[in-house]
Amino acid sequence: GISRAQKSLFGGGKEVAMRECEDTVRKEAANRGIELSIVRCGKLKGGGPGREGSDFGLSKVYYDGLFEMEEAMVTQAYDKFTLGGKSCFLGDPIDPGNTFMQLANKGTFEPKLDESSRIVTAGSVVAAALYDKPVEFTVSSSKGMEPPDMGEWKDILSNLATYKKS
């Protein structure tokens, strides 16, 4: 995860920069007595309306701006079938996929631990802001036809589990 990021011969600079930024925000919040929730996500996918008549995500104009066919098809499928909120984990347990794996998974809408739906991630940030105490968690993608509503998010945040590698 970002909190464990280190530079190496093969990269890691972007993750180290994110960790340093997170450390700065955490320090400034503590100095000012502000409670802080941290929501981490993987590589963002999707973001449009999904199905006709849905009231989540951006408008159809978002899809119209995707000129590369594979990206457009994956984005639209992601917004129909990968909107679940069941893959949320306490803390920062998921390591970002390396560049080669991200390229290999570019054309799939199957849920991956190091990927997140833009729609689900946005909902998780709102839920964390409304939650009754600070929370730190990671949002990964999971199958689902609709994103969690705020009641479901409250249950998800109340029951965050530690990720166990299988």
Side-chain angles (χ1 to χ4, degrees):
I2 297 304
S3 60
R4 299 179 304 282
Q6 305 224 341
K7 283 189 179 179
S8 72
L9 180 63
F10 299 107
K14 180 173 68 170
E15 289 83 11
V16 169
M18 286 190 280
R19 186 200 66 220
E20 290 170 350
C21 181
E22 190 175 286
D23 291 344
T24 300
V25 171
R26 195 184 298 270
K27 179 181 169 189
E28 286 301 317
N31 287 344
R32 293 181 168 139
I34 299 170
E35 293 182 323
L36 176 68
S37 288
I38 295 178
V39 180
R40 294 182 187 89
C41 63
K43 180 174 177 55
L44 293 170
K45 283 188 167 181
R51 280 178 274 340
E52 192 69 37
S54 70
D55 61 350
F56 45 82
L58 301 171
S59 74
K60 187 179 176 309
V61 173
Y62 173 70
Y63 293 146
D64 296 340
L66 301 172
F67 298 110
E68 202 260 308
M69 181 61 91
E70 181 183 39
E71 179 185 9
M73 290 173 57
V74 168
T75 299
Q76 290 180 51
Y78 214 84
D79 292 337
K80 290 178 185 172
F81 306 114
T82 318
L83 293 174
K86 292 184 172 62
S87 290
C88 293
F89 306 103
L90 194 60
D92 184 21
I94 308 300
D95 291 323
N98 65 47
T99 302
F100 299 111
M101 289 308 295
Q102 287 180 354
L103 284 172
N105 294 326
K106 179 183 171 193
T108 181
F109 59 91
E110 282 298 313
K112 305 281 183 231
L113 286 174
D114 64 340
E115 295 178 351
S116 304
S117 160
R118 281 184 177 87
I119 295 167
V120 175
T121 300
S124 72
V125 170
V126 172
L130 295 174
Y131 199 58
D132 57 359
K133 61 184 178 184
V135 63
E136 184 173 337
F137 65 102
T138 299
V139 180
S140 292
S141 61
S142 62
K143 289 184 179 184
M145 302 290 275
E146 290 197 14
D149 61 30
M150 283 302 126
E152 291 167 319
W153 272 119
K154 187 173 182 182
D155 291 342
I156 290 167
L157 295 180
S158 297
N159 296 302
L160 284 170
T162 304
Y163 171 71
K164 292 179 178 55
K165 292 183 180 176
S166 43

